[in-house]
Amino acid sequence: GGDLMALVRRLWPLLAGISTNGHIDALMVQNPRKMGYLGVKTMVSHLKKENVEKRIDTGAEVITKANMGEPTIAELLAPPKG
């Protein structure tokens, strides 16, 4: 087989693949909590007539078998509750 790079929106079904079947080497994920926090913070600043950036980089993390047990990574892997 050849190499394949895929872009997906729903991470949760792929997590088993990175840990068990060896078909997935790494995943790139965003932090939804950070995205929400920065969105609200930016809107509050805007409503206060403060200057805000046109583009805000909310970052991304690369998840591999080697780092998926780290606390900061594990938090990203837990589906949002509520």
Side-chain angles (χ1 to χ4, degrees):
D3 292 339
L4 172 68
M5 178 181 281
L7 179 63
V8 298
R9 293 191 51 148
R10 299 288 176 205
L11 171 67
W12 322 125
L14 295 177
L15 293 177
I18 197 171
S19 62
T20 59
N21 69 19
H23 294 293
I24 300 172
D25 296 322
L27 299 170
M28 295 278 303
V29 299
Q30 293 176 296
N31 184 331
R33 290 173 190 89
K34 182 177 180 182
M35 293 169 66
Y37 170 79
L38 290 175
V40 171
K41 180 181 174 201
T42 301
M43 182 53 72
V44 169
S45 295
H46 172 72
L47 293 173
K48 290 180 175 180
K49 307 290 187 205
E50 298 172 358
N51 289 334
V52 296
E53 298 290 326
K54 283 188 172 186
R55 298 186 194 275
I56 298 173
D57 183 1
T58 59
E61 295 287 338
V62 178
I63 299 176
T64 65
K65 285 182 186 181
N67 72 358
M68 67 187 300
E70 295 176 11
T72 55
I73 299 297
E75 183 179 315
L76 293 175
L77 298 179
K81 295 190 173 51

